[in-house]
Amino acid sequence: YSKAGTILKISFATPLIIALGAASTQIIIADNNSNIVFYKALMALTLGITLNITLIPLLGIAGAAVSTLVAMLLSNVLSNILIRKYNYIWHLQCDAVLFRNIKK
């Protein structure tokens, strides 16, 4: 298990990033813009393939973990900064991660 420690450290944030992406996807679909979801999925696919081709030869299995994390982060979270209409989703995601605006 000690050899898997590095990969686990890299991969620990992936479920959080995927959850943030799933939540933002629901908001975008509710806004009748499912085509944006499709483009974000293509972005994740393209980034994942490109990063895997680049990083796996350099870092091995750790490169695959980094590729997944970066591709998901860019397509599920940071892309909301680039899509002006969905900047508010970026702010919602930041609030969720930082536990801001939680009603007690």
Side-chain angles (χ1 to χ4, degrees), residues 29-62:
I29 289 171
D31 197 28
N32 279 333
N33 281 321
S34 55
N35 60 332
I36 300 243
V37 174
F38 177 73
Y39 291 123
K40 288 175 79 163
L42 284 178
M43 176 198 244
L45 175 69
T46 304
L47 286 168
I49 290 170
T50 303
L51 289 169
N52 276 322
I53 289 170
T54 306
L55 295 178
I56 290 174
L58 297 172
L59 304 173
I61 192 71

